[in-house]
Amino acid sequence: MAKKVKTAYFCQHCGFESPKWQGKCPSCNEWNSFVEEVIQDETPKKGSWKMTSSNDRSGGYVNSKQETSKPVKINEVKYEKEGRIVTQDEELNRVLGGGIVQGSAVMIGGEPGIGKSTLMLQIALSLKDKQVLYVSGEESGQQIRQRAERLPFSSEETYVLTETDTSKIFAHVEKMTPDVMVIDSIQTLVSPLLEAAAGSVSQVKECAAEMIRFAKDTGTPVLMIGHITKEGSLAGPKVLEHMVDTVLQFEGDRHMSYRILRTIKNRFGSTSELGIYEMIASGLREVSNPSEILLSQRDDGLSGVAIGTVMEGNRPLLVEIQSLVTPSVYGNPQRSPTGYDSKRLNMLLAVLEKRSGYKLNFSDVFLNVAGGLRVEDPAIDLAVVASLISSFEDISIESTTCLAAEVGLGGEVRAVSRIENRIVEAEKLGFKEMYISKYNVKGLDLKKYKMKVVPVGTVAEMAEKLFT
């Protein structure tokens, strides 16, 4: 008698499982997101990665399921600093918190063609003293070799495996015992434990779980490339982001040369770090001084341009804010920001209208953060306001002037964190004048800086000093 096939319905957005189809997911409230998939009993089968009780390899993990656990005091818990593999890529090291942690599972997502595979292959080839297994389910070995020929790195210890079956992948892994494994991509893998198609919710979840078990059991870091949805989030169940240790987002416009590597989640470091690359013919080049590329080449005397300072993790950046304020031709004026929050822009426009007397309600406003960067630091508020006033009054701002402060609803200029780092970075790049909040001056020795630091208390005061 044939075995009855068991099926269930899974939400493609969050991975919620239901025995029957539902129009709306009760977990994430998405409509028409349930798909039917074949499931099987949770019985041990040949082909998946088997957990071992211990491992004598350097950095190996012990299987806690086979040990008797008991409550202990938190100060009695044995703690050892995690071992890290320091790569030649300083930008990646910074984003990961100092390097690749032994036994960690890292997921990197991004739009198609943004450079995820190039970055991972570049990292694999740069680890000259490590044995790296590059598993590809999307490209052939010849295609990977062609890409490797363009990159500035080469390594005889980098192996390529074009396979999608996880059981066959682990069979090769047990023979060669790599130090680092790269998966390109997790959506192409298929586990023999399931009969579902590759890329389905259950397959992505199971394959990721097997890779994570392998990483924790052997201490081998696994770098997995993941597809993203049209909304920009990682494809597959939301639980996938909770399973891995680190989630990185590779951003940028394919028509622009600069790429940004952000940290969405990191169990071993900060989530506010940022890495910047430039896509060139020979691969991805690290950008050691991002402020120079974010400040565009322009002539003096152009209105609507202001320079602000932001903090991305421990790194201060100077970014250029460009705005264009013109009379509205249609009934409803446009508010179109690029790289800046639209709600924040509307708030600042209301502050200028109410507190400073600038009549912007009949003007179209276009705002752009040069260089393709998306800014969330509130310290950029004062630069945005100065840029809007400059365009509205058609008065240019000196190219050697920058600003760093938050703007409140009352029109007040509020203090921001790490103001000294911002001043030092601006001074290093040749700026001669910087506007900050007067509440940041307390405890700050202004005499030790060569540049002029101008404290202001309100937006009106800033406009008076800057434009008169």
Side-chain angles (χ1 to χ4, degrees), residues 281-301:
S282 59
L284 290 163
R285 183 185 69 86
E286 303 172 49
V287 178
S288 57
N289 191 357
S291 297
E292 293 182 357
I293 67 167
L294 296 174
L295 303 178
S296 66
Q297 303 291 329
R298 62 181 177 88
D299 296 328
D300 293 337

Side-chain angles (χ1 to χ4, degrees), residues 3 42 204 263 277 295 314-315 335 342 352 377 396 437:
K3 184 178 178 180
E42 296 293 332
V204 171
T263 312
Y277 297 87
L295 303 178
N314 297 322
R315 171 189 287 183
R335 303 287 187 259
S342 59
L352 287 175
D377 189 351
S396 64
S437 170

Side-chain angles (χ1 to χ4, degrees), residues 52-103:
T52 56
S53 59
S54 62
N55 198 307
D56 57 358
R57 292 179 60 188
S58 176
Y61 284 76
V62 177
N63 181 10
S64 59
K65 293 184 178 180
Q66 298 188 11
E67 295 181 350
T68 303
S69 59
K70 60 180 180 179
V72 294
K73 295 181 180 179
I74 189 170
N75 55 2
E76 295 178 357
V77 175
K78 295 181 180 180
Y79 169 74
E80 295 181 2
K81 189 176 181 180
E82 65 274 358
R84 292 180 182 266
I85 299 175
V86 180
T87 69
Q88 296 185 32
D89 191 328
E90 295 297 333
E91 296 297 304
L92 181 67
N93 292 338
R94 178 188 295 107
V95 171
L96 293 177
I100 305 173
V101 177
Q102 298 278 6

